[in-house]
Amino acid sequence: MIFVEDKEIVIPGDILADEEYHSGRGTFKENDKVCSSLVGLVALRDKKISVIPLQSKYIPKRGDVVIGEVTDIRFSMWNLDINSPYSGFLPASDVFGKEKRELNRTFDVGDVLFLRVVDVDEVKKVKLGLKGRGLGKFRGGILINITPTKVPRLIGKKGSMINMIKDETHCEVIVGQNGVVWVKGEPSMERVAEKVINMIEEQAHTSGLTDRVRDMLARLLGHEPEEPETEESET
């Protein structure tokens, strides 16, 4: 038997299901009952029940694309803050090959880069790289931090949510899987995008979010929201 619904908010100790269900991430079993071990959202997958934390830091995985800020420059690498308990590093050899150059002339402390996670070793040292389309240094724009687990909600099904924000504000928007979002456009439009992105994070667990985002954009941009032609499946 299940005692909660999918996407319901639970707290530590809440009983979620009985022995018919398997205990997933964020849960534990006690007296044949599956209980929550943290504050988060219920996630049901067949007979497995998990709890996704509402607030969490990014745990790096190979292949992820992330946005990081240079925090330190060493002889052969840049160190970067990637919104994680673990710092990332970009080897100079990934940028220059075998050439010897002054690192701070290419990327300096405070620069913001779009990178890919190349490898994560057993002690969680995160090697980063710049090989890939669109990767490199950002110029201008603003950064917005959201909880990494909310990234899929911000992007939406097939990019529907993030594309709506781009289309309405005419801003460039790039989302790192580490929960850092880069937005560049007219300053007034950057502020609109920031308000909408923050609202999506706050209400990510609720239904009807797509329509509320559409209405909020219309209100902030000073025009009437369009009526959807058909009912949308929730992003």
Side-chain angles (χ1 to χ4, degrees):
M1 181 181 291
I2 183 78
F3 303 112
V4 291
E5 295 181 357
D6 194 36
K7 295 183 181 177
E8 183 175 333
I9 297 178
V10 293
I11 63 174
D14 279 355
I15 298 174
L16 310 178
D18 60 19
E19 70 274 6
E20 293 178 20
Y21 283 78
H22 301 293
S23 176
R25 181 182 175 189
T27 71
F28 63 94
K29 273 204 165 182
E30 186 174 273
N31 299 326
D32 293 326
K33 297 286 192 297
V34 180
C35 305
S36 175
S37 61
L38 44 80
V39 177
L41 300 177
V42 173
L44 294 174
R45 296 293 179 272
D46 297 321
K47 286 290 185 177
K48 185 176 182 179
I49 187 164
S50 305
V51 177
I52 301 169
L54 283 178
Q55 299 293 333
S56 63
K57 283 286 191 180
Y58 167 67
I59 304 301
K61 298 189 299 294
R62 184 183 299 176
D64 283 357
V65 288
V66 299
I67 295 173
E69 181 177 342
V70 178
T71 56
D72 189 24
I73 301 172
R74 299 197 177 181
F75 174 70
S76 60
M77 71 181 73
W78 294 269
N79 287 339
L80 294 102
D81 176 0
I82 55 170
N83 191 35
S84 171
Y86 316 107
S87 63
F89 71 94
L90 173 64
S93 58
D94 189 82
V95 179
F96 304 136
K98 293 183 179 179
E99 280 189 69
K100 299 293 183 183
R101 296 193 194 176
E102 291 185 44
L103 273 63
N104 63 352
R105 291 196 173 184
T106 302
F107 304 130
D108 206 349
V109 172
D111 283 349
V112 177
L113 311 180
F114 190 37
L115 314 106
R116 188 177 300 280
V117 176
V118 175
D119 195 23
V120 183
D121 69 16
E122 63 278 359
V123 293
K124 295 296 184 184
K125 285 183 66 178
V126 185
K127 182 180 179 182
L128 304 166
L130 290 172
K131 292 175 182 174
R133 185 178 176 184
L135 303 183
K137 178 180 172 179
F138 289 125
R139 300 183 188 280
I142 62 171
L143 293 179
I144 304 161
N145 288 291
I146 67 171
T147 306
T149 53
K150 310 287 182 67
V151 165
R153 192 69 160 140
L154 172 60
I155 293 171
K157 289 180 181 176
K158 297 182 180 178
S160 57
M161 192 80 85
I162 201 71
N163 285 333
M164 188 194 312
I165 297 171
K166 291 179 183 179
D167 292 343
E168 292 294 328
T169 63
H170 305 291
C171 287
E172 293 181 72
V173 184
I174 294 178
V175 183
Q177 288 167 275
N178 58 333
V180 183
V181 185
W182 178 77
V183 178
K184 184 178 181 181
E186 291 293 326
S188 60
M189 292 297 101
E190 290 178 354
R191 289 192 291 274
V192 168
E194 182 177 24
K195 288 178 182 177
V196 172
I197 289 168
N198 286 333
M199 186 269 270
I200 292 170
E201 182 190 23
E202 290 169 6
Q203 301 184 24
H205 60 285
T206 64
S207 60
L209 184 58
T210 300
D211 288 339
R212 289 199 301 283
V213 169
R214 185 182 293 108
D215 291 346
M216 184 179 188
L217 281 165
R219 187 173 69 253
L220 292 172
L221 297 172
H223 56 74
E224 290 298 316
E226 295 179 8
E227 291 293 327
E229 293 180 8
T230 58
E231 278 192 30
E232 282 190 28
S233 62
E234 182 60 28
T235 56

